Amino acid sequence: MNQELLTALIYNAALLLALSIVCEISYQLPDRFSKIKPLITGFFISSICIVVMSTRFVMAPGLVFDTRSILISVAAFFFGPIPTVMTVVTASIFRIVEGGVGMVAGLAVIVTSALIGYLWNRHIFSRQAKHRWLSLYLMSILVHIVMILCMLLMPYPTSLTVIREISLPVLLVYPVASLLLSMLLMVQRDRNDAINGQQEAQRLLSNSEKRFRSVVENAPEAIFIQFDSKFVFVNPETLNLLGAANADQLIGTPVFERFHPDYHDVIRSRTTFMKAQRQPVPSIEEVFIRLDQSHVSVDVSAVPISFNGKDSILVFCRDITARKAAEQEKLQMEAQLRQQQKMDAIGLLAGGVAHEINNPINGIMNYAQLVLDETPDETAEASWLKGIIQESRRISEIVKNLLQFSRQDKQSHSYARIEDIVNQTVSLLKAIFRKEQIDLIVAIPPDLPSVKCRSQQIQQVLLNLLTNARDALNEKYPGYHEDKVIRLSVASFDQDDRRWIRMTVEDHGTGISEEEQLRIFEPFYSTKPKDAGTGLGLSISFGIVRDHHGYFEVDSQKRQYTRIHCILPVDNGWTTPIVRED
């Protein structure tokens, strides 16, 4: 073995360690150089190649040996086509300039080393293989067997002499040097890939968190995260839903404080299920308690998540107060329509019954009158007959009022006596009041002016006021009480150069609070239990009085008394033809 050749090749191989420095520089280049990174890498590898080829063993003039095959094959394997082509071109030019008998063989070594390294990486080598070092060693063996064969391109017998001199040191030194260099670069690449993987994972995680936070914070629904039954994250819509000024008012506070107590058992059950099964739960309707203690209806769904490395629960809430109100209003409207249909049927029935009753009542009165005409005035029989006639007339009057109230035709505005409207309304309720031990005191002064109105509608207003007073008294006094009295008074007065009529219904029942007084004329608002009122009576009455250009005044104290004044103009301004009601 040529000892001088072996020493020169070992020294030349040591220069290849500079390639690891190039590899590290390539990995450390900033992202802004990503497009020109292959060119920079190719420049450094080409420079190293020139140094390697300059530090060579000269076997004869024009016949030199170095470790370019290692450099080029390893560079082609690790750095891709652009740095490899730059290195191949640079090395080829340098070898052509150098010339000599080994020029063609040297060019062949340069090209074959690059091809083998590149193709080995693309088609044979696997990063997941268990013995990667063996694959790299076999690649290097192949590169240098081909290098030895390239020597055959030199003239005979020089080629045989060269092959005999270099084969053993090349096959001993070059594959080992190539393997060591490759393993060093492989370790660098694996380490850099791991670092890049961690950085990419951190970047993706950071971007994911930013997207999550952006989506959550701009979501139209309330979203919060709870851990250990406490708020740990809330989005802005949650603050709006719960009436919080900032997140500090909620973070760290118990979630159960914001749920209505009626739902605590359900929430505990759902929370336990999610912790045990790590599965989402379907949405349900619940009630939240805002910081101001008001209530809001919500639709709530939840999923288990990991938040800050801890098993937590992500909760989605949608305010359904408006939807619930719309549903309730729809139900009440349907109930109102059903009630209206029922009233229409009752009105039709009442009209038919009234006509059927009127005929026998008139017959009773007429027969009684005929008998009375033949009976002396001072006898008991005459007194009884007069009673029959009087009671028959009272029945006839009640039937007449019931028939008038049940009529569904559109009345025109005409002048009517308030006294008649009051008496007709009272006649419909007198029996009910008597049964419920309610005293009705009516005070109507004489000579009241007639009022232009729809008398049936005003009768409906008065009936609603008297019915509400009766309900308030019955609630406060279930049985007899000396204060179980309704006072109905009527008065006239002048204001703003106009004449007005004031009808006042007063009772000493449950009363109306100041807060309730602000809402009693709203549709569907009622202080009565759901099965005792629809909340439409005063609302309809308000609309009727307003259409008559009148208004209401309410004077009440809770648990003490209620006075409701219905104030109507004598002439309400309507220009429809006036029909005098007798």
Side-chain angles (χ1 to χ4, degrees):
M1 179 186 298
N2 190 324
Q3 189 69 30
E4 185 179 359
L5 173 60
L6 180 62
T7 302
L9 293 178
I10 292 174
Y11 175 75
N12 193 257
L15 293 174
L16 297 177
L17 294 175
L19 190 60
S20 67
I21 299 175
V22 174
C23 181
E24 193 65 28
I25 292 173
S26 174
Y27 291 147
Q28 298 301 323
L29 283 175
D31 291 340
R32 64 177 179 273
F33 294 114
S34 58
K35 292 184 178 180
I36 62 172
K37 182 184 291 187
L39 298 177
I40 297 174
T41 302
F43 171 78
F44 281 115
I45 295 175
S46 299
S47 301
I48 295 173
C49 187
I50 295 299
V51 174
V52 167
M53 294 177 68
S54 301
T55 309
R56 61 195 183 274
F57 172 73
V58 181
M59 191 172 191
L63 185 59
V64 297
F65 293 94
D66 49 54
T67 55
R68 83 189 78 153
S69 58
I70 298 176
L71 175 68
I72 294 173
S73 62
V74 172
F77 183 90
F78 282 97
F79 297 102
I82 294 178
T84 301
V85 170
M86 292 178 63
T87 304
V88 168
V89 171
T90 302
S92 299
I93 293 173
F94 187 88
R95 189 66 188 86
I96 291 172
V97 171
E98 195 173 45
V101 67
M103 182 185 70
V104 175
L107 293 174
V109 170
I110 292 171
V111 174
T112 57
S113 297
L115 288 174
I116 292 172
Y118 180 75
L119 294 175
W120 195 275
N121 182 47
R122 291 291 302 272
H123 301 291
I124 299 176
F125 182 79
S126 172
R127 296 185 66 176
Q128 284 72 40
K130 185 175 182 180
H131 302 291
R132 295 185 296 176
W133 65 271
L134 181 60
S135 178
L136 293 171
Y137 186 71
L138 292 175
M139 181 193 75
S140 183
I141 290 290
L142 177 62
V143 167
H144 293 99
I145 289 176
V146 172
M147 169 187 168
I148 292 171
L149 294 176
C150 287
M151 298 301 107
L152 295 173
L153 297 174
M154 292 186 295
Y156 181 83
T158 304
S159 59
L160 296 179
T161 302
V162 171
I163 291 174
R164 186 170 55 250
E165 288 289 330
I166 70 169
S167 293
L168 185 59
V170 165
L171 293 178
L172 286 177
V173 176
Y174 277 36
V176 174
S178 178
L179 175 63
L180 293 176
L181 179 61
S182 297
M183 292 305 296
L184 176 61
L185 296 179
M186 185 70 70
V187 169
Q188 285 181 292
R189 186 169 72 175
D190 290 346
R191 184 197 64 191
N192 184 74
D193 288 346
I195 294 174
N196 288 341
Q198 292 177 355
Q199 292 176 345
E200 181 66 14
Q202 285 293 113
R203 185 183 66 82
L204 292 176
L205 179 60
S206 177
N207 290 340
S208 178
E209 289 178 351
K210 289 179 180 178
R211 287 194 297 270
F212 171 79
R213 186 172 294 274
S214 176
V215 169
V216 169
E217 290 184 349
N218 293 284
E221 296 182 0
I223 301 175
F224 65 84
I225 299 175
Q226 67 177 73
F227 169 74
D228 195 22
S229 297
K230 294 182 178 179
F231 290 101
V232 294
F233 170 84
V234 293
N235 73 338
E237 192 59 32
T238 302
L239 302 182
N240 295 334
L241 182 65
L242 297 178
N246 53 66
D248 293 336
Q249 291 182 295
L250 295 176
I251 299 298
T253 63
V255 173
F256 276 85
E257 289 184 356
R258 304 275 66 86
F259 284 96
H260 194 279
D262 292 348
Y263 298 91
H264 283 186
D265 291 340
V266 175
I267 297 167
R268 288 191 184 95
S269 175
R270 287 159 64 89
T271 302
T272 302
F273 173 82
M274 280 188 287
K275 287 181 178 179
Q277 303 296 327
R278 304 303 298 165
Q279 293 181 4
V281 292
S283 62
I284 62 171
E285 292 184 4
E286 299 174 3
V287 176
F288 277 177
I289 301 177
R290 294 163 53 89
L291 294 183
D292 61 3
Q293 300 306 307
S294 61
H295 294 174
V296 56
S297 298
V298 290
D299 185 84
V300 179
S301 57
V303 295
I305 65 167
S306 178
F307 183 74
N308 292 334
K310 300 176 181 178
D311 289 341
S312 306
I313 297 175
L314 179 64
V315 183
F316 302 86
C317 309
R318 181 185 295 110
D319 187 350
I320 58 172
T321 303
R323 190 187 80 189
K324 295 286 286 185
E327 291 175 354
Q328 185 64 24
E329 183 176 353
K330 180 181 178 182
L331 292 175
Q332 291 172 332
M333 288 296 294
E334 290 175 352
Q336 181 185 3
L337 289 174
R338 288 195 297 270
Q339 184 66 18
Q340 182 62 42
Q341 291 173 348
K342 188 184 299 183
M343 291 300 295
D344 290 344
I346 291 174
L348 182 62
L349 179 62
V353 171
H355 286 296
E356 291 299 321
I357 291 177
N358 274 334
N359 291 331
I361 287 297
N362 288 330
I364 291 172
M365 284 191 296
N366 291 334
Y367 286 128
Q369 186 64 49
L370 290 173
V371 176
L372 180 61
D373 291 342
E374 301 296 331
T375 304
D377 290 340
E378 302 300 328
T379 62
E381 289 82 357
S383 177
W384 296 338
L385 291 169
K386 289 178 181 179
I388 292 173
I389 295 172
Q390 180 179 354
E391 291 303 314
S392 298
R393 286 176 177 169
R394 192 165 71 88
I395 293 173
S396 179
E397 187 67 21
I398 292 173
V399 171
K400 176 184 175 183
N401 293 340
L402 179 62
L403 180 61
Q404 181 179 359
F405 183 73
S406 66
R407 286 206 308 261
Q408 299 300 317
D409 57 313
K410 296 291 184 180
Q411 274 189 327
S412 61
H413 284 252
S414 59
Y415 281 100
R417 295 173 56 192
I418 290 295
E419 182 178 3
D420 293 340
I421 295 175
V422 170
N423 289 335
Q424 291 169 2
T425 306
V426 168
S427 69
L428 297 175
L429 296 172
K430 188 175 293 185
I432 298 175
F433 288 173
R434 188 184 309 114
K435 178 181 177 182
E436 296 176 350
Q437 299 176 303
I438 298 174
D439 289 335
L440 177 61
I441 300 175
V442 181
I444 304 177
D447 302 326
L448 285 174
S450 296
V451 177
K452 187 192 290 186
C453 65
R454 285 177 172 157
S455 57
Q456 180 184 335
Q457 290 186 344
I458 302 304
Q459 185 180 353
Q460 182 179 356
V461 172
L462 193 56
L463 186 66
N464 284 333
L465 297 180
L466 291 171
T467 302
N468 286 344
R470 163 217 172 199
D471 293 340
L473 287 173
N474 284 333
E475 181 179 349
K476 187 174 181 180
Y477 309 115
Y480 171 77
H481 193 277
E482 61 181 7
D483 206 18
K484 200 171 182 182
V485 177
I486 297 177
R487 291 177 174 84
L488 171 58
S489 60
V490 183
S492 64
F493 66 97
D494 293 337
Q495 180 178 303
D496 299 330
D497 297 328
R498 297 184 68 181
R499 293 184 301 167
W500 300 81
I501 292 291
R502 179 192 294 113
M503 294 185 295
T504 302
V505 176
E506 178 183 350
D507 67 84
H508 287 189
T510 55
I512 307 172
S513 67
E514 292 183 2
E515 294 79 8
E516 293 169 343
Q517 290 180 36
L518 299 175
R519 301 189 59 191
I520 59 174
F521 296 108
E522 293 180 5
F524 307 112
Y525 178 80
S526 177
T527 59
K528 303 175 186 177
K530 291 184 178 180
D531 57 349
T534 63
L536 291 171
L538 285 179
S539 173
I540 293 173
S541 299
F542 181 83
I544 292 173
V545 172
R546 181 186 58 191
D547 288 343
H548 283 74
H549 301 159
Y551 58 93
F552 281 101
E553 290 181 351
V554 180
D555 178 18
S556 181
Q557 290 189 13
K558 195 70 174 177
R559 306 300 302 176
Q560 294 188 32
Y561 69 89
T562 297
R563 296 189 194 95
I564 297 185
H565 307 282
C566 175
I567 302 172
L568 299 170
V570 172
D571 185 349
N572 61 31
W574 287 87
T575 58
T576 53
I578 300 174
V579 179
R580 186 76 180 182
E581 289 190 0
D582 296 327

